[in-house]
Amino acid sequence: MSQLPAFTLRVPENTESDGQEPSPDNEGALHSSFCELIEEQSSLVAGAIEMELQERSREPSALLPPLDPMATAGLEPKQGEQHPGYATTLRILANMPSHTIGRSRGAIISQYYNRTARLRRRSSRPSLQQLSHTARPSLRQYDLESDPTNATLADKQSLLAKELLSLPPAQRSQVLLEVPLSLEEKRSLRRQLSQRRSTPGLRVHSSEPTSPCAWCQDCIVLGCRTLWYRFLALIHAAQPWHYALKQISGRFGSSVLSYFLFLKTLLLFNIISFLLLLVFVVALQAAYPPAVASPRPFTGLELLTGAGSFTHSLLYYGYYSNTTLNDPSASSPSGSTSPSRATQLPYNMPLAYMFTIGANFFATCILLMYSMYHSFLKSYRVGSSTGVLAIKIFSAWDFKVVQRHSVKLQSENICTQLKELLAEQRLRSCPLSLPQRLRHITVLLLAWLLALGTVLGCVVAVYYFSELMHMVQQKQGAAAGSVWLQEGVLLALPFVVSLLNTLMPHFYNLLAAWEKQDSPEAEVYVAICRNLLLKMVVLGLLCYQWLSRRLVCSAKECWETCVGQDLYRFVVMDFIFTLLDTGFGELLWRLILEKKLKSKRRPEFDIAQNVLELIYGQTLTWLGVLFAPLLPAVQVVKLLLLFYIKKTSLMQNCQSPSKPWQASHMSTVFITLLFFPSFLGAAIFVSYTIWWEKPSETCGPFRGLQTIYQTPKVWVELLEESNPNIAWFGWIPQYLVENTVFLFFLTGMVLAVIYFNIQVLRGQRQIICLLEEQIANEGEDKKFLIQRIHCIYDDKVHCA
Amino acid sequence: MGNKQTIFTPEQLDAYQDCTFFTRKEILRLFYRYRDLAPQLVPLDYTSRPDVALPYELIGSMPELKDNPFRQRIAEVFSESGDGNMTLDDFLDMFSVLSEMAPRDLKAYYAFKIYDFNNDDYICKSDLEKTVNKLTRNELTPEEVSLACEKVIYEADLDNDGKLSLEDFQHMIIRAPDFL
């Protein structure tokens, strides 16, 4: 700050009281806007009487709260005893620049005027002396009136309109939408803007040159915006399940809604995968079906086992041909069944298959990262995590809930949460004794050991069960049993795995009830951790078995189709067990509670478990896309059915959740879980299969090759043979993808970007701490000034 | 999309579209909701800008607001006259701010005004006590309410004046991802 004049108070000669506390003359520079203001007010203090204090009806609470532990020593007016100059001090405080923001319209307009000016200039804050009068109207608000006269208001409005005009149109419309004025004022502002725009003479004052280009640009942008509005309107009309979701959120709140939104997201992913695969792989193969042995008749069992008549169908890998379809030069193996077509476009099926799968994963990856980014933006905030109680009071109310009974329940929930928080804070002030803490830690350790032990036990059980099934199958293969029994045996392993996946979460719930964690959020995290661990470890074992093919699909020639069938069975079994779980867990439990136990309580919708089931099902689909290209379609059907079944069960059987649930935070966690173990694991599995596994000799689009990955190389060689000019194309995979230096470079770049972001975050946190300190210091300054004013007033009163 | 509606002039509709977060269809739908509250009071022709304000009792009977404990404050904050009687502009403004498309800062500003029961531009302890009582339907004991309010002021008051100003409130709400 530049040099400011020494501050002299108009006080009488005897200023002994100054000796007791530091006088303002010794302090550093004061804020210059306070100078004039305090001079003005101290001259008014002598003649001021109570001004409209009764109208304001403030509580006679202490200005500095007696319970504030940060209160420094000073003149603290006791409760009930008011300082005579109190009312005036309050008026001064109320009219301080920072506190008039948000009160009067003039203040809002001024504030927004400043903001837009800053937006336009984007320069550092200019020093106070250099500012012209019109640039900082907020400093001019020295009047004691709370509402400025109409003339000043109109002036301020026209100032704001002028500033807005010099902004680019996109920002202008954004500011117009976000300024917290009433709709009428916004409309009048908008009218002013359009008036000014149409009369270009007035724009001479603005710094932007008036050129036909700028005007054209404006028109184009405005036209685009209207088109965008129309497009948005269409999209909103086309939202599926809009009313159903509103019903659910109206009765159960945003926590349960987040599950259904997650289901909608998964549905979107699967529909995109399905469309990609349909257009590029399935439809074309369906148009040119390969010659196949006489298919078995359709029995109902195929829907469950995926074998039988489904084996040699579009559903599985084995059906797809490894030649170029509709190749005009070669004698097509499918020539006998293909209808005579006018088009002669050859279509390289193996290449298409591989690239479509790759594009599918790539698109899913991009979409997932985008969802994660969006979700993260909404839920993560840089800064400390204090202020739990305040945040709870102001953000706990879920405004989506509209039904009376649910509203009453929500009130009870908030009541319980507040009581718990207060009790917890009281507890924190008196922590547990040592033996209690030890006991608590041992209980936690035991619970975790038990959980890990059960995971290990389940894995071992699945392993031995699959060995058993393998032996049974071999015996059955030797002895020709009925088709039904043979196929039924195939269902045993998925049955057992799904059973474990359904029963273990309930066991973990019991464990959590015994454990009694500190906070409900910790409970949810621990439950998610344990269930996810179980599911992923079991899936890991199954993947290993599929790849090694020692126990599963060992005898089959076309192992990819076999693995695809296995995955299909897992998906179907998972669906059946979800239905059973909904039926028993919710419907039956409600009936028992109502009829037998005669309690009013109903079962609750366990959000974490249901979301983890969805993630598990989606992982299976991603694992199986390579081996069964129509698996996303199966998943789409499954998700559609699941939506309606879950919604019906929810409406009939469940009650509103009683545990606190941070909806946006948990949505981010779920999307991250979908990406990190689920999608990445599936991507690694598929990459491994493409890079290292030898495809089977007799079926599928990659028969005869060493690995699936060789397909593009073969194609590039073919290209080079046919046309030597494009030999450079072959260099791309060789130097980019296989070259380890390039991959290291890429990884290095990604790591550098992550490191940079971490440093930026760290810097932001530091700045936030500094700014908070600064605000606290300003508060101290204010207190000091108030005390000085009171001193002056007392002196004057004593002198007079 | 040329619908031949005669309720608003095209300029009026454009103005509404620019100043709220709604599309044409949504604005018309909201108009019909407004009109359904009192068909005999609200004319079908707004081109002449009639001065019609529906009383608070009708607004408060809407299903979205009926069971909301803050419905009176919401109506008071958004009504021009401050007593809860809303014109169509106030009505549209209210739904625009409460919709999902409104940015957080705007919502935080209006939330502050809603929680400020005595309209003194600060959320003081009495305002907080009223808020907590409305949230919990008077189920907490007065000591607990008092303790909760003191803790809130302690946590959120940055400049230590014993009350929450708009800046304190906004600073705290920025850190709350679930604020709707």
Side-chain angles (χ1 to χ4, degrees):
Chain A
M1 263 219 204
S2 48
Q3 279 284 57
L4 286 163
F7 181 68
T8 50
L9 287 174
R10 292 205 206 112
V11 290
E13 275 69 19
N14 45 343
T15 50
E16 291 119 48
S17 54
D18 272 347
Q20 290 164 1
E21 41 213 329
S23 81
D25 296 307
N26 301 339
E27 298 287 333
L30 281 170
H31 197 285
S32 68
S33 65
F34 281 10
C35 264
E36 216 175 312
L37 184 63
I38 292 176
E39 277 193 319
E40 239 177 278
Q41 296 314 319
S42 50
S43 64
L44 280 170
V45 155
I49 328 166
E50 319 269 44
M51 275 192 279
E52 300 161 330
L53 180 60
Q54 288 79 16
E55 287 164 27
R56 290 227 147 215
S57 71
R58 279 180 213 274
E59 265 202 354
S61 62
L63 200 60
L64 315 160
L67 285 174
D68 190 352
M70 297 203 276
T72 53
L75 295 170
E76 283 177 28
K78 305 267 187 308
Q79 202 118 5
E81 173 197 312
Q82 288 184 45
H83 195 275
Y86 184 72
T88 334
T89 321
L90 282 178
R91 287 211 71 92
I92 297 171
L93 274 181
N95 282 318
M96 283 207 304
S98 58
H99 283 258
T100 51
I101 293 171
R103 190 202 311 171
S104 55
R105 277 179 257 152
I108 298 172
I109 292 174
S110 318
Q111 184 204 8
Y112 269 83
Y113 173 80
N114 284 340
R115 252 191 230 181
T116 49
R118 241 179 288 149
L119 262 178
R120 191 170 60 82
R121 287 189 222 119
R122 284 189 195 279
S123 56
S124 59
R125 179 179 158 162
S127 63
L128 290 168
Q129 273 73 20
Q130 291 171 10
L131 290 170
S132 62
H133 280 304
T134 49
R136 288 195 55 142
S138 64
L139 272 179
R140 311 301 295 173
Q141 276 197 275
Y142 293 146
D143 52 345
L144 287 175
E145 303 301 315
S146 49
D147 286 309
T149 57
N150 277 342
T152 3
L153 185 64
D155 273 349
K156 287 182 178 136
Q157 262 193 342
S158 59
L159 273 174
L160 181 60
K162 204 172 77 142
E163 263 306 319
L164 279 180
L165 268 178
S166 44
L167 283 180
Q171 266 183 345
R172 192 188 310 154
S173 54
Q174 192 74 18
V175 170
L176 192 64
L177 278 175
E178 289 179 5
V179 64
L181 296 169
S182 75
L183 193 59
E184 265 189 49
E185 282 152 13
K186 279 198 218 186
R187 283 169 70 190
S188 78
L189 193 63
R190 186 178 173 276
R191 229 173 293 136
Q192 276 192 8
L193 278 177
S194 53
Q195 272 169 5
R196 278 167 180 266
R197 252 209 322 266
S198 55
T199 57
L202 277 173
R203 295 196 65 195
V204 172
H205 297 293
S206 74
S207 52
E208 301 250 340
T210 56
S211 58
C213 270
W215 184 77
C216 275
Q217 226 178 9
D218 272 4
C219 280
I220 291 174
V221 169
L222 282 170
C224 285
R225 244 166 24 98
T226 12
L227 277 176
W228 177 244
Y229 281 156
R230 301 250 169 110
F231 179 63
L232 272 184
L234 278 175
I235 284 200
H236 277 206
Q239 256 185 12
W241 298 328
H242 181 68
Y243 182 63
L245 289 175
K246 220 167 147 72
Q247 255 187 319
I248 292 171
S249 68
R251 212 173 121 189
F252 295 96
S254 348
S255 51
V256 173
L257 185 68
S258 63
Y259 166 79
F260 287 93
L261 289 175
F262 190 73
L263 207 155
K264 233 172 87 161
T265 321
L266 283 183
L267 191 67
L268 178 72
F269 286 153
N270 282 303
I271 288 182
I272 292 179
S273 304
F274 170 58
L275 283 175
L276 261 179
L277 283 166
L278 181 74
V279 168
F280 289 108
V281 172
V282 175
L284 287 149
Q285 189 64 63
Y288 297 98
V292 83
S294 60
R296 287 191 251 177
F298 178 79
T299 62
L301 199 60
E302 270 85 12
L303 285 174
L304 269 184
T305 60
S309 66
F310 277 2
T311 317
H312 298 288
S313 67
L314 277 169
L315 186 52
Y316 296 116
Y317 173 98
Y319 186 80
Y320 293 87
S321 72
N322 68 335
T323 56
T324 309
L325 299 173
N326 202 19
D327 197 356
S329 51
S331 60
S332 53
S334 55
S336 55
T337 46
S338 65
S340 57
R341 281 175 195 268
T343 55
Q344 290 287 314
L345 290 167
Y347 193 79
N348 192 341
M349 181 50 86
L351 203 64
Y353 197 94
M354 190 184 128
F355 276 142
T356 314
I357 301 276
N360 185 15
F361 272 89
F362 188 68
T364 316
C365 187
I366 301 280
L367 277 176
L368 261 178
M369 290 184 133
Y370 179 71
S371 308
M372 264 184 8
Y373 166 73
H374 240 326
S375 219
F376 206 62
L377 258 187
K378 271 199 287 188
S379 73
Y380 182 70
R381 290 286 177 262
V382 181
S384 55
S385 57
T386 57
V388 178
L389 191 63
I391 290 179
K392 175 88 28 154
I393 286 183
F394 287 121
S395 3
W397 188 262
D398 192 350
F399 281 92
K400 284 197 154 76
V401 179
V402 288
Q403 275 203 0
R404 178 164 301 223
H405 184 62
S406 308
V407 164
K408 191 158 151 299
L409 271 172
Q410 201 177 52
S411 297
E412 284 170 12
N413 285 350
I414 294 177
C415 191
T416 330
Q417 283 172 42
L418 286 177
K419 286 199 185 181
E420 277 175 17
L421 261 177
L422 287 173
E424 190 191 332
Q425 295 204 343
R426 241 178 268 142
L427 253 184
R428 214 172 281 167
S429 45
C430 42
L432 295 171
S433 60
L434 191 60
Q436 276 181 325
R437 284 222 325 256
L438 273 177
R439 190 177 165 275
H440 188 64
I441 291 179
T442 31
V443 164
L444 279 175
L445 271 176
L446 266 179
W448 267 105
L449 275 175
L450 209 61
L452 289 172
T454 45
V455 167
L456 209 61
C458 288
V459 167
V460 166
V462 167
Y463 180 72
Y464 280 120
F465 192 78
S466 50
E467 279 203 352
L468 181 71
M469 282 297 117
H470 182 65
M471 280 197 303
V472 166
Q473 267 182 313
Q474 279 184 328
K475 271 194 228 145
Q476 270 199 342
S482 78
V483 171
W484 282 71
L485 203 59
Q486 270 185 341
E487 311 260 306
V489 155
L490 295 169
L491 284 174
L493 186 62
F495 183 85
V496 163
V497 169
S498 292
L499 189 70
L500 283 174
N501 275 330
T502 315
L503 289 181
M504 293 310 289
H506 296 294
F507 173 69
Y508 290 140
N509 281 343
L510 287 173
L511 214 60
W514 174 58
E515 243 185 333
K516 279 199 263 290
Q517 287 279 354
D518 285 330
S519 66
E521 285 113 26
E523 259 185 55
V524 174
Y525 282 134
V526 163
I528 290 178
C529 237
R530 289 178 181 157
N531 284 300
L532 199 66
L533 195 65
L534 172 72
K535 292 185 157 81
M536 291 300 140
V537 171
V538 167
L539 268 183
L541 174 73
L542 290 170
C543 287
Y544 170 71
Q545 284 187 340
W546 283 321
L547 284 179
S548 66
R549 289 186 297 285
R550 239 178 11 93
L551 294 175
V552 180
C553 300
S554 51
K556 298 279 167 57
E557 292 179 339
C558 194
W559 64 268
E560 290 100 346
T561 306
C562 178
V563 171
Q565 283 174 341
D566 229 5
L567 275 161
Y568 176 87
R569 284 188 281 265
F570 270 92
V571 167
V572 171
M573 252 323 140
D574 180 53
F575 178 57
I576 292 178
F577 267 87
T578 312
L579 290 181
L580 284 176
D581 192 26
T582 313
F584 283 111
E586 291 172 14
L587 180 62
L588 213 64
W589 193 236
R590 171 181 79 100
L591 289 173
I592 291 177
L593 278 175
E594 261 183 47
K595 306 276 164 46
K596 283 282 178 66
L597 302 176
K598 298 265 193 287
S599 81
K600 278 276 183 180
R601 269 191 62 235
R602 286 170 150 209
E604 273 183 28
F605 188 79
D606 197 343
I607 303 165
Q609 299 317 328
N610 283 297
V611 171
L612 282 178
E613 272 177 29
L614 281 180
I615 294 180
Y616 174 73
Q618 191 58 42
T619 319
L620 288 174
T621 312
W622 279 331
L623 286 173
V625 139
L626 179 63
F627 306 109
L630 278 182
L631 208 54
V634 175
Q635 179 79 352
V636 164
V637 170
K638 177 179 149 192
L639 285 174
L640 282 173
L641 287 173
L642 207 60
F643 182 89
Y644 290 108
I645 293 170
K646 284 280 177 190
K647 175 174 170 275
T648 322
S649 164
L650 184 74
M651 291 301 205
Q652 304 283 347
N653 302 329
C654 297
Q655 68 169 23
S656 302
S658 64
K659 288 188 272 213
W661 185 265
Q662 301 163 306
S664 61
H665 185 62
M666 294 312 288
S667 304
T668 318
V669 167
F670 290 139
I671 274 265
T672 316
L673 286 178
L674 187 66
F675 183 73
F676 170 57
S678 169
F679 176 75
L680 278 185
I684 292 174
F685 175 74
V686 169
S687 314
Y688 181 83
T689 316
I690 291 184
W691 241 274
W692 270 285
E693 283 295 318
K694 184 162 164 34
S696 58
E697 297 283 336
T698 55
C699 64
F702 305 111
R703 54 194 109 150
L705 293 171
Q706 196 56 32
T707 62
I708 299 180
Y709 183 63
Q710 284 190 340
T711 318
K713 285 201 219 170
V714 165
W715 177 62
V716 161
E717 281 167 24
L718 271 176
L719 268 185
E720 282 177 0
E721 275 174 35
S722 61
N723 191 354
N725 289 337
I726 49 175
W728 57 268
F729 198 65
W731 296 350
I732 298 178
Q734 195 187 350
Y735 285 113
L736 279 186
V737 182
E738 288 177 6
N739 197 357
T740 43
V741 173
F742 182 70
L743 288 174
F744 272 131
F745 178 68
L746 259 185
T747 323
M749 286 271 293
V750 169
L751 283 175
V753 167
I754 294 177
Y755 173 74
F756 178 69
N757 278 317
I758 291 178
Q759 290 304 318
V760 164
L761 269 182
R762 203 180 288 177
Q764 283 181 343
R765 272 198 211 107
Q766 277 181 349
I767 288 181
I768 288 178
C769 284
L770 284 174
L771 285 173
E772 279 181 359
E773 264 181 45
Q774 209 172 333
I775 295 178
N777 284 337
E778 296 282 330
E780 299 288 321
D781 284 347
K782 233 195 319 183
K783 266 192 258 174
F784 171 79
L785 287 169
I786 291 167
Q787 289 165 25
R788 293 306 301 149
I789 292 175
H790 288 169
C791 276
I792 296 163
Y793 184 76
D794 284 341
D795 289 341
K796 290 222 164 165
V797 163
H798 288 151
C799 286
Chain B
M1 258 189 347
N3 49 345
K4 300 176 184 47
Q5 53 88 23
T6 51
I7 310 170
F8 300 109
T9 62
E11 292 80 30
Q12 276 178 321
L13 261 186
D14 278 337
Y16 279 135
Q17 251 189 326
D18 281 339
C19 299
T20 64
F21 294 98
F22 293 127
T23 59
R24 281 165 67 101
K25 238 189 196 164
E26 288 165 347
I27 291 170
L28 288 170
R29 213 187 292 163
L30 278 169
F31 171 77
Y32 284 121
R33 287 294 299 274
Y34 184 72
R35 186 156 189 276
D36 285 341
L37 292 172
Q40 68 280 11
L41 282 178
V42 177
L44 266 175
D45 186 4
Y46 255 78
T47 49
S48 50
R49 275 181 240 131
D51 187 19
V52 174
L54 292 187
Y56 163 69
E57 290 74 28
L58 287 174
I59 306 283
S61 68
M62 287 184 68
E64 285 88 352
L65 288 178
K66 189 158 56 77
D67 291 311
N68 192 326
F70 294 104
R71 60 184 175 281
Q72 181 150 20
R73 279 301 299 160
I74 293 175
E76 281 171 12
V77 161
F78 283 104
S79 67
E80 191 66 28
S81 46
D83 58 357
N85 302 332
M86 299 178 84
T87 63
L88 180 66
D89 279 357
D90 301 331
F91 192 76
L92 285 173
D93 204 17
M94 174 172 77
F95 278 104
S96 170
V97 170
L98 294 178
S99 75
E100 286 168 351
M101 285 89 69
R104 247 198 214 196
D105 291 333
L106 193 60
K107 289 196 199 218
Y109 171 80
Y110 280 103
F112 181 80
K113 285 181 106 168
I114 288 173
Y115 290 135
D116 182 17
F117 283 85
N118 50 10
N119 281 325
D120 61 351
D121 301 313
Y122 291 100
I123 295 184
C124 55
K125 193 161 168 222
S126 68
D127 292 333
L128 272 176
E129 281 175 0
K130 286 203 197 102
T131 307
V132 173
N133 278 325
K134 274 202 196 283
L135 278 177
T136 59
R137 285 171 184 240
N138 299 315
E139 295 258 338
L140 289 179
T141 63
E143 297 86 36
E144 284 171 339
V145 171
S146 178
L147 184 63
C149 297
E150 278 155 17
K151 289 229 180 285
V152 168
I153 293 182
Y154 171 56
E155 280 170 359
D157 191 11
L158 285 176
D159 51 6
N160 292 330
D161 57 357
K163 304 183 270 198
L164 299 183
S165 63
L166 179 64
E167 287 74 39
D168 297 333
F169 185 75
Q170 277 183 330
H171 175 76
M172 189 189 52
I173 285 300
I174 295 277
R175 287 185 281 140
D178 283 313
F179 177 71
L180 289 169

